[in-house]
């Protein structure tokens, strides 16, 4: 039977006094993620694409806006250095794809980050306080949802002119809505848990409860959704560029390149195929990572 | 427990907790669920008061209403001479360090993303942040050793512990500020019997060392008998009987208490077989639509006409024995 003095002596005898390191749920998830071959392969490919985008100027003798008058709309050719060929203005396609990767990836990451910060905070507050606050906040989200996205983007363009930052804002402003809904739903189920009540009983303030107890526990589904949002945002940006609402020449993005290639698909297939391969590869990778993360963070769902 | 009149630490006066529910159908009238409906009792320093009753009788709601985790609808909770019902959260903050709670489900009451060191330290960080990190860590380790956990485990996470150990973590978190009152909300009912004994003894140990008062909510009458000095019997949010432990087990006056006590198994097969068992029929009535008069009359073997019309008042039988029944002397 439990006994104080015997317990104390047992403690003294219990060997090493150094503290054991615990293994957190995050640590477990990381191990499971790195066992997933598809996810690890995707991370490697993505890292290569990202590095190529960052060090683009070193990888090609050409400039992205440099016109090579001798080779206008020529196919891939290793001898003259245009390994992916040139576009209708005689610009090297390889370097333009890498510069397009910069824009596409930046839009994907930044817009997702914006949606993450707004969505998580908004959803957690709505879900935690509940009642009337929740109702008002979520009805606002519903109203925003019902706004046609294209209309919203065109309105922003009309008011502020064409600007790459506008794309970040427009995409972030739309993507956070779903994030807020997901986080709110998760928060609703978590705020009834006893550890939240324990924190409340101790006198921890509501905002500390939200940031210390609620958000770390909703982060699992959020991270998964985030990896699925990035490709979605890249696609949406491509779509906007395809319609001519995206980045401006001579700067480019994958969407712009695909749009240009699609126009000349019969004459110069390479102008469509190469950017499309990069876009598809990136989207695949993000989806595989998202999949791997879902399995890693919630092993029960497999 | 002797009956020397001291000043109570906590006085609960006519406490009511009602929840409003939406009506049935689109245009139904909103209904009220009376979870706790007029409870009175005093709790003295160093005392353990058991609150017993079957599932859904409002035990947990009562405990949470006292801690102001659920706002009471009416009545008073007088803590050290001051009514704390309706106090704003910010003003409750200093009181919270004296009022703590231990939960039924040990694992659910611990944040799975925090190390147990962080969990146990949270009350200290909230109320005594000026102590400094090293001192807080020190105190956490001392408290861990005190409740029977290895201090080296400080960096581990809740899922790495067993149920009994998790309950010890919960107790350490509740004890770290050395509170005056702990509400134990069925602290042992999720545990194995052998672990139950350890946890109950630990609670008694801590109570003796720190001069704690406890509200011990449970449906396990054997555990309550072991740890509590006085016992409050709750039925459908109403007090049925309140008495000293020995009085209530030796001479229960209320038919409901009698039925509860007769259900406790006796660890002797002969006695167990020969004892008189009062079996209650039916289920607990809905607290949305409680019976008129005495709430227990629908299941009471002795119910008479008067029980359906008049609500029984709480009668005082002895220095510390109260019962709410019209016919307590005549059964």
């Amino acid at each position: 039977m439990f006994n104080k003095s015997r317990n104390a002596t047992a403690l003294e005898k219990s060997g090493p006094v150094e503290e054991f390191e615990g293994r957190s749920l995050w640590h477990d998830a990381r191990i499971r993620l790195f066992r997933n071959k598809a996810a690890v392969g995707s991370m490697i490919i993505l890292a290569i694409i990202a590095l190529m985008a960052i060090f683009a100027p070193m990888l090609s003798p050409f400039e992205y806006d440099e016109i090579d008058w001798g080779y206008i709309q020529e196919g891939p050719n290793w001898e003259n250095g245009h390994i992916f060929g040139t576009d209708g203005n005689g610009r090297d396609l390889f370097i333009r794809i890498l510069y397009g990767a910069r824009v596409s990836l930046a839009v994907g990451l930044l817009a997702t980050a914006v949606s993450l910060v707004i969505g998580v905070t908004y959803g957690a507050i709505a879900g935690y306080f509940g009642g009337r606050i929740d109702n008002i906040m979520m009805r606002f989200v519903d109203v925003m949802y019902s706004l046609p996205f294209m209309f919203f983007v065109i309105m922003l363009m009309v008011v502020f002119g064409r600007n790459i930052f506008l794309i970040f804002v427009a995409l972030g402003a739309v993507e956070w809505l779903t994030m807020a809904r997901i986080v709110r739903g998760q928060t609703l189920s978590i705020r009834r848990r006893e550890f939240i009540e324990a924190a409340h009983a101790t006198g921890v303030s509501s905002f500390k409860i939200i940031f210390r107890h609620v958000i770390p526990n909703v982060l699992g589904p959020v991270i998964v959704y985030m990896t699925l949002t990035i490709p979605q945002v890249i696609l949406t940006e491509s779509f906007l560029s395809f319609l001519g609402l995206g980045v401006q020449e001579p700067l480019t993005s994958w969407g712009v390149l695909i749009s240009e290639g699609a126009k000349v698909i019969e004459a110069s297939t390479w102008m469509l195929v190469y950017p499309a391969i990069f876009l598809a590869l990136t989207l695949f990778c993000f989806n595989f990572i998202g999949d791997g993360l879902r399995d890693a963070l919630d092993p029960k769902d497999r | 427990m002797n009956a020397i009149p001291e000043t109570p630490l906590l006085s609960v006066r006519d406490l009511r907790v009602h929840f409003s529910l939406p009506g049935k159908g689109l245009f139904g009238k909103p209904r009220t669920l009376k979870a706790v409906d007029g409870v009175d009792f005093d709790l003295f320093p160093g005392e353990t008061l058991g609150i017993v009753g079957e599932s859904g009788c409002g035990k947990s709601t009562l405990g949470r209403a006292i801690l102001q985790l659920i706002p009471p609808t009416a009545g008073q909770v007088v803590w050290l001479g001051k009514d704390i019902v309706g106090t704003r959260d910010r003003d409750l903050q200093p009181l919270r360090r004296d009022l703590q709670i231990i939960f039924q489900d040990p694992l659910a009451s611990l944040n799975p993303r925090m190390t147990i060191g962080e969990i146990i330290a949270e009350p200290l960080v909230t109320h005594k942040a000026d102590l400094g990190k090293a001192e807080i860590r020190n105190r956490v380790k001392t408290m861990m050793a005190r409740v029977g956990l290895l201090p080296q485990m400080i960096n581990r996470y809740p899922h790495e512990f067993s149920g009994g150990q998790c309950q010890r973590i919960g107790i350490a978190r509740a004890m770290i500020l050395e509170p005056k009152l702990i509400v134990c909300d069925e602290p042992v009912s999720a545990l194995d019997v052998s672990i139950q004994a350890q946890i109950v003894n630990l609670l008694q140990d801590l109570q003796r060392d720190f001069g704690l008062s406890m509200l011990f909510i449970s449906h396990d009458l054997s555990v309550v008998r072991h740890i509590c000095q006085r016992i409050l019997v709750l039925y459908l949010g109403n007090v049925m009987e309140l008495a000293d432990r020995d009085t209530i087990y030796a001479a229960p006056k209320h038919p409901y208490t009698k039925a509860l006590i007769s259900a406790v198994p006796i660890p002797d097969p002969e006695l167990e077989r020969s004892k008189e068992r009062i079996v209650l029929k039916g289920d607990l009535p809905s607290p949305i639509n409680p019976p008129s008069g005495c709430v227990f009359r629908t299941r009471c073997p002795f119910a008479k006409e008067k029980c359906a019309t008049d609500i029984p008042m709480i009668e005082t039988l002895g220095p510390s024995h109260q019962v709410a029944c019209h016919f307590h002397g005549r059964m």
Side-chain angles (χ1 to χ4, degrees), chain A residues 1 4 7 11 16-25 194-195 197-198 201-203 212-213 216-217, chain B residues 64 93 96 103 105 108-109 111-114 122-123 127 137 141 148 150 152 155 157 159-160 173 201 209:
Chain A
M1 185 61 30
K4 211 197 315 176
N7 195 43
L11 278 182
V17 196
E18 70 258 33
E19 292 158 5
F20 305 134
E21 266 323 303
R23 207 201 242 184
S24 73
L25 295 179
E194 285 172 337
F195 65 84
E197 211 172 4
T202 301
R212 200 184 290 158
H213 295 285
N217 282 292
Chain B
R64 282 166 170 73
Q93 173 88 359
R96 294 253 187 239
F103 293 96
D105 184 341
S109 65
N111 184 344
R113 304 278 175 196
M114 284 162 86
E122 187 166 47
H127 289 281
R137 209 170 163 81
K141 283 188 173 176
L150 287 175
Q152 298 100 294
N155 289 329
Y157 289 83
H159 65 268
E160 299 175 292
R173 170 177 61 191
N201 287 351
D209 294 1

Side-chain angles (χ1 to χ4, degrees), chain A residues 26 179 182-183 186 216-228 294 297-298, chain B residues 113:
Chain A
W26 295 122
M179 192 68 93
I182 290 172
V183 173
Q186 292 287 320
N217 282 292
V218 302
L219 235 42
V222 165
I223 288 175
V224 173
Y225 183 68
M226 203 180 79
T227 54
L228 301 177
R294 200 194 54 219
L297 290 169
D298 196 353
Chain B
R113 304 278 175 196

Side-chain angles (χ1 to χ4, degrees), chain A residues 3-4 18 28 44-45 60 95 108 115 142-143 161 170 210 228-229 231 284:
Chain A
N3 175 306
K4 211 197 315 176
E18 70 258 33
D28 279 348
I44 293 171
I45 294 175
S60 170
I95 189 78
S115 81
D142 292 345
V143 169
I210 289 177
L228 301 177
T229 305
F284 264 124

Side-chain angles (χ1 to χ4, degrees), chain B:
Chain B
M1 188 76 195
N2 45 17
I4 305 166
E6 301 173 76
T7 40
L9 191 66
L10 172 80
S11 300
V12 174
R13 291 287 170 265
D14 196 29
L15 191 71
R16 287 164 201 273
V17 184
H18 296 178
F19 299 106
S20 58
L21 303 172
K24 278 183 186 162
L26 195 54
F27 300 107
K29 261 189 219 159
R31 298 164 299 169
T32 29
L33 186 154
K34 295 175 178 174
V36 176
D37 203 24
V39 169
D40 289 77
F41 67 85
D42 287 324
L43 182 71
F44 296 94
E47 185 191 31
T48 305
L49 176 69
I51 299 178
V52 297
E54 55 198 307
S55 308
C57 71
K59 304 182 296 274
S60 296
T61 309
L62 174 62
R64 282 166 170 73
I66 289 166
L67 297 181
Q68 307 297 309
L69 293 173
I70 298 174
T73 316
Q76 291 179 310
V77 175
V78 181
W79 172 252
L80 299 170
K82 193 170 157 283
D83 183 13
I84 58 172
V85 172
T87 315
R88 284 183 311 166
D89 260 6
R90 198 179 310 148
D91 303 326
L92 274 177
Q93 173 88 359
L95 300 175
R96 294 253 187 239
R97 79 176 58 172
D98 286 333
L99 300 162
Q100 287 293 329
I101 182 165
I102 298 169
F103 293 96
Q104 175 174 8
D105 184 341
L107 192 56
S109 65
L110 308 174
N111 184 344
R113 304 278 175 196
M114 284 162 86
T115 64
I116 64 161
E118 290 167 341
I119 290 169
I120 298 173
E122 187 166 47
L124 276 180
V125 172
T126 307
H127 289 281
K128 293 180 176 172
D130 50 316
L131 281 178
K133 273 188 183 156
E135 172 62 14
I136 284 179
R137 209 170 163 81
N138 230 334
R139 287 198 188 189
V140 168
K141 283 188 173 176
T142 316
M143 185 49 75
M144 282 174 70
R146 184 66 193 78
V147 299
L149 293 163
L150 287 175
Q152 298 100 294
M153 302 282 199
I154 192 163
N155 289 329
R156 293 233 163 150
Y157 289 83
H159 65 268
E160 299 175 292
F161 292 88
S162 69
Q165 284 175 312
C166 283
Q167 198 55 287
R168 288 177 198 270
I169 298 167
I171 292 170
R173 170 177 61 191
M175 287 303 304
I176 192 110
L177 288 169
E178 300 181 9
K180 294 193 176 78
L181 169 69
I182 290 191
V183 174
C184 305
D185 187 5
E186 309 212 18
V188 296
S189 44
L191 305 174
D192 197 29
V193 180
S194 59
I195 311 290
Q196 281 191 4
Q198 294 178 5
I199 297 292
V200 165
N201 287 351
L202 171 64
L203 283 171
Q204 277 187 315
D205 257 17
L206 291 168
Q207 177 174 37
R208 202 173 41 243
D209 294 1
F210 293 94
L212 270 176
S213 296
M214 288 201 290
L215 272 182
F216 197 91
I217 299 168
S218 179
H219 56 248
D220 187 337
L221 285 161
S222 328
V223 173
V224 167
R225 183 175 201 171
H226 182 71
I227 196 169
C228 300
Q229 282 100 40
R230 284 193 304 151
I231 292 164
L232 175 84
V233 181
L234 211 58
Y235 182 83
L236 221 60
N238 288 262
V239 177
M240 296 287 106
E241 190 162 5
L242 171 63
D244 281 350
R245 170 186 54 192
D246 297 334
T247 317
I248 214 160
Y249 279 95
K253 291 291 179 200
H254 197 283
Y256 182 58
T257 318
K258 285 181 180 173
L260 282 183
I261 288 170
S262 82
V264 178
I266 306 168
D268 178 339
E270 306 233 327
L271 277 177
E272 173 71 28
R273 241 173 270 132
S274 65
K275 84 173 175 185
E276 188 194 353
R277 180 95 159 76
I278 306 170
V279 179
L280 292 180
K281 292 193 176 61
D283 284 328
L284 196 67
S286 162
I288 297 171
N289 187 16
S292 64
C294 173
V295 286
F296 183 57
R297 73 174 162 84
T298 50
R299 296 167 76 193
C300 181
F302 311 101
K304 302 204 170 49
E305 272 168 41
K306 192 186 181 192
C307 299
T309 51
D310 297 0
I311 298 171
M313 290 294 118
I314 290 180
E315 285 177 57
T316 304
L317 300 180
S320 61
H321 192 169
Q322 296 173 324
V323 64
C325 179
H326 293 304
F327 303 104
H328 60 80
R330 283 163 278 168
M331 282 179 298

